[in-house]
Structures are given as structure tokens and as C-alpha cells.
Amino acid sequence: MTAAPETPAAPGLAVERTGASAWIFLGAAVLALAGSLFALEAVISVAAILLAIFIFIEFRKVPWAQQAAALVLVTVTAVLAGGRDEILEAAVNGLTRTLPFVLIFASVGWLQSAARESPSVRALREGLMRLGPGQRFSALSLTSHFLGAGFNLAGLALLSPMLDDQRESGDRMRMACAIIWGFAAATCWSPIYVGTAVVLSGLPQTSWIEVAPLGFFIALGFLGYGFVYDRLVRRRGRPRVPGSRSSTLPLRPVLRVLLAIAVLFVLTTTLIEGVGLRLTDAVMIAAPSYALAWLFLVHGRRGSGHIAAVARGVIAGYPRMRSETTLFFCANMFGFVITGIASGDQAAGFSLPPLPGPFFLHALLAIWLYLVVCAIGIHPIVSVVVFTTVVSPEQLGIAPALLAAMLMALWGMGTSVSPLSGTTLIMAQLSGRSSFTIAWRWDGTFYALGAVGLAALVSLLR
């Protein structure tokens, strides 16, 4: 099932005590980074041990749905693995495979906290609230897209006041969809999403710099499709939003926020392409240092005490990554066993049989099946791990970069139609509607039809 981040106080406000679990998670992240940078297997082993301790301590606090999913994955893994030694090997490998994703989890809170402290981000949000009828949907979708690309889930929380400003339930639904659809489209190309790391780890023959341009093109397609869908299906007659007080967004905060995101991406890209770091290592180095520099620019030397409090708040919030970390560990255990089966004597059973009919139809049916699996609550990482293990780009006749961009797009689509994902659960809190309503009624038809366009694009470019 899809991991759902618990969302109490915003990270960076230092309202909770920094417990042992937070320090254990931080230690695992720091050691994982050091072990990866300097190829120190012993350090990576210690990081894996700390990660196992973190999961063991925090498992009882994981929501029941994610606990059930984790137990199912572990049980199936144990059955497929066979003996005790094989199960232990799968567990060790699962911990090691999860460490790169821990780096992403540890990084996101820093970016979210810096964005929440930014006067430019607040000014941009206030400008959005002053926009009149006919402009809010597209502006909100674009803003959610770029804020999500730079600051992940903070993009949703930062735009939540927009929902409080809607008087009619139909307008509230439209604005919520604008936020979700814009945010989900950013998974097609942003390096800050964990889905990017998952896909690229499953397709090591390509890189983020190769995938990003194509992914950005697909994201623009989804943004345009969302605008057309809203106009044709959701926005009937004249909008009922209160009259316009402004026809344009304030230029200065827009440019400043875009510049901040651009600097983050330039820094990350430089570490990847210039220094030769892995994506997860680059994000772990770039995000905290970038966030602290941004906070210093906002608060100055006199605000050092507040900056320290923000940093303590980020670390204190690490235990809220318990659900994601647990599910990724279990899914990676499962993926390791599936890889062994696929490469062993039973590999023939996993080979892709020849299918009749056009490639477009195969792609469309596969995407629809994936969306159904996500809609019933299965975590996208399970689907991605199994798919990239059993099928290669060569078997499908698709360029690796195109397949990676497609899977990254599917990550955002899957989390949007899942009633148990962090995206829909957070939006449920902000909008006051059920996450099942958001996932199945608000997003379901939109992405079911959007699958047609994605399948057509992949068919044309393959």
C-alpha cells in the first residue's frame, strides 16, 4: 500500500522533542552517504544496522494499512525465498537497497522548512489568492508543479489556504485538483521525488540528466491536459469564485521562487554531472546545504538561533518517515527475491511473451492495470520493482530514457489515484473530503483518460 507521511506540525518548527529514533535515522543517512561517497562497505553495513533498528523501533507506530502491506510483503518474500539463510540474505539486501532512498527522505524536510520560511513563497501564495475567476486553476496548477518540483510535499501544504478561499464545493474541488495534478506532474522530471530515485535505480543504463528533458515534456502535456479537462468537464458556466482583485501574479516573488528552484537544480545537476555523484548522494548534499543558505539569506546572522531551531525541527521530524522507510525496505526485500527467481532456473516463466496487436494497446492496458493496482492501495514501488526486474527496455523495444520517463510519470499518476498515498491523505486533510473521494472520483477518470495520451506518446517515441 502507498506510504502516507504523517503530518503534524510542519518540519522546521522545533515543536517536538528530538528522540532516539530521529538520531538513529540521521546516523543511518549520514553513514549511508559517507559509505556511498567513499565506497566503504563497513560503513554501509553500520548504516544498514541503524536502519534496521529504526524500522524495528518505529514499526508499532506505522499506520495499520501500511503495517498490513509490510507484513504481506515480508510473508510473500519468506515463502519465495525458502530457507532461513535466503530470508536473511533478502533482509540484508533490502536494507542496503533502501539506504539510497533514506537519503531522499532525509533531504526533503530541509527543503520544505526553507520554503515555509521564505517571504517570496508567502507573497506568491497571497498573489494566487487575489487572482480572479478563470485564472486561478491554471496559475495554481503551475505553481503547485514548480513548488512540488523544488520542495516536494511542501508544495501542497503551502497552497492549502487557496482551498479555504473557495465558497462553493465545486470550486473547492477544482482548486484541489489543480494542486494535485500540478504536483503529480512534477514526478515526471524532478530529482527531488523519491520516485525518480526508484526508477533510475531500476534502470541503471540511463541517468536523470537524460530523462529530465523528456520528463519535462510529458509534464507539460499533463499540465495542458489538466487545463483542458477542467474547462470541458469541471468548469460549467461562469465560475462562482468571488470577483477578481488582481489579473496577474506579482512578478517579483514569481521570479524569486523560480530562481530559487533553478539554483537548487543547477547545484544538484553540477554534483551529478560535474562531480559524478549518484542522484541520491547529490540530493543529500545539496538539499540541507541549500536550505541552510536560504534560511541565512532570509533571517541573516541575527536569526542564527531561529535557524538552529528550524534545523532541530527537521531532525526531530525524521521519525515521521517510518511508513515510507518500512515499506521501501519490505518492497526491496521482495524485489531482491524476485530478481533471484527471474535470473535463475525459473527465469523462463518471467520472460515477456509475444502479444498480438499494436504496441499502443498493450501500453494502454498495462497503464490501466497499474492504476487499478494503485487504486486498491498497492505501493507503486512494488509495481516498479517487479516491472524493472522482469522486463528490460530491450524486451519492450523502448529506449531506456523513454521508459524511465514513463515510469516516473506513472509514479505521480499512481499516488494520485491511491486513497492511501501521502498526496491524497494530505489533500484530504486540507480539503475536508475523504481520500477515497479524491483518489477515485476526483482523480480517477482524469488519469484513466490521461493514460491514453501517455500510451500514445510512448508508442510514437519508442
Side-chain angles (χ1 to χ4, degrees):
M1 297 185 181
T2 305
E6 301 151 52
T7 56
L13 298 184
V15 295
E16 55 188 310
R17 183 177 62 86
T18 307
S21 292
W23 293 114
I24 292 172
F25 189 91
L26 176 63
V30 171
L31 291 177
L33 176 63
S36 177
L37 290 177
F38 303 106
L40 301 174
E41 293 297 330
V43 174
I44 293 176
S45 298
V46 175
I49 292 172
L50 290 178
L51 181 60
I53 294 173
F54 174 83
I55 294 172
F56 178 79
I57 293 175
E58 291 295 322
F59 184 77
R60 62 185 178 86
K61 299 179 182 178
V62 172
W64 69 267
Q66 283 75 47
Q67 282 186 345
L71 292 174
V72 168
L73 282 172
V74 170
T75 301
V76 173
T77 299
V79 171
L80 294 176
R84 183 179 60 183
D85 292 341
E86 289 77 7
I87 296 173
L88 179 60
E89 183 183 9
V92 171
N93 193 277
L95 289 169
T96 304
R97 288 187 176 193
T98 304
L99 287 176
F101 307 123
V102 169
L103 300 182
I104 301 291
F105 296 150
S107 304
V108 169
W110 293 95
L111 297 173
Q112 293 177 352
S113 296
R116 289 188 176 95
E117 298 280 322
S118 170
S120 296
V121 173
R122 290 196 295 267
L124 175 58
R125 182 177 62 189
E126 292 168 1
L128 284 168
M129 296 177 70
R130 289 194 295 268
L131 285 178
Q135 299 172 311
R136 290 189 177 186
F137 184 92
S138 55
L140 190 56
S141 181
L142 283 171
T143 303
S144 174
H145 178 78
F146 286 104
L147 287 182
F151 314 123
N152 208 285
L153 284 171
L156 298 180
L158 288 168
L159 297 175
S160 61
M162 291 291 299
L163 302 180
D164 298 331
D165 197 40
Q166 310 306 313
R167 297 179 182 178
E168 299 287 342
S169 60
D171 294 318
R172 193 178 184 88
M173 175 190 67
R174 291 179 54 240
M175 296 305 106
C177 288
I179 295 174
I180 294 174
W181 298 347
F183 175 83
T187 66
C188 299
W189 63 278
S190 173
I192 306 302
Y193 286 82
V194 70
T196 303
V198 173
V199 171
L200 294 181
S201 68
L203 297 171
Q205 59 269 62
T206 189
S207 65
W208 175 72
I209 201 67
E210 294 174 325
V211 177
L214 181 57
F216 188 73
F217 176 75
I218 295 175
L220 290 179
F222 271 109
L223 291 173
Y225 163 57
F227 175 79
V228 173
Y229 184 91
D230 177 71
R231 287 300 177 102
L232 297 180
V233 178
R234 297 285 173 77
R235 185 184 172 191
R236 299 173 181 172
R238 295 186 61 82
R240 298 178 293 273
V241 188
S244 174
R245 289 178 286 169
S246 175
S247 60
T248 59
L249 287 172
L251 183 60
R252 179 174 294 181
V254 171
L255 293 178
R256 285 183 173 178
V257 171
L258 289 176
L259 177 61
I261 296 173
V263 170
L264 173 62
F265 285 161
V266 168
L267 176 59
T268 305
T269 304
T270 301
L271 291 174
I272 295 173
E273 296 299 316
V275 183
L277 299 184
R278 294 195 306 177
L279 172 67
T280 51
D281 295 345
V283 172
M284 181 61 180
I285 293 174
S289 55
Y290 172 86
L292 289 173
W294 192 359
L295 288 169
F296 183 80
L297 288 176
V298 171
H299 297 290
R301 186 172 300 175
R302 294 183 178 180
S304 58
H306 179 74
I307 295 174
V310 170
R312 289 194 298 271
V314 173
I315 297 173
Y318 281 158
R320 290 196 293 270
M321 295 292 104
R322 59 179 72 90
S323 297
E324 291 90 337
T325 304
T326 300
L327 279 176
F328 271 61
F329 161 62
C330 296
N332 280 315
M333 281 183 62
F334 179 74
F336 174 75
V337 173
I338 290 295
T339 301
I341 294 176
S343 61
D345 296 335
Q346 304 177 49
F350 282 84
S351 61
L352 188 68
L355 299 174
F359 179 87
F360 165 76
L361 182 60
H362 302 161
L364 180 60
L365 292 177
I367 294 173
W368 278 344
L369 176 61
Y370 165 83
L371 292 178
V372 170
V373 169
C374 291
I376 63 176
I378 304 300
H379 197 297
I381 189 179
V382 178
S383 302
V384 171
V385 166
V386 172
F387 182 82
T388 55
T389 297
V390 175
V391 180
S392 67
E394 293 75 21
Q395 286 180 294
L396 296 174
I398 302 178
L402 177 60
L403 181 59
M406 175 185 174
L407 293 176
M408 287 161 62
L410 289 177
W411 187 278
M413 297 168 69
T415 55
S416 297
V417 301
S418 169
L420 301 177
S421 73
T423 303
T424 53
L425 287 175
I426 288 179
M427 188 53 63
Q429 295 178 13
L430 300 177
S431 65
R433 300 300 298 271
S434 165
S435 63
F436 291 87
T437 297
I438 295 171
W440 294 348
R441 294 183 57 188
W442 293 6
D443 296 340
T445 303
F446 173 80
Y447 282 112
L449 295 176
V452 178
L454 181 61
L457 179 65
V458 174
S459 300
L460 290 173
L461 299 180
R462 62 189 289 257

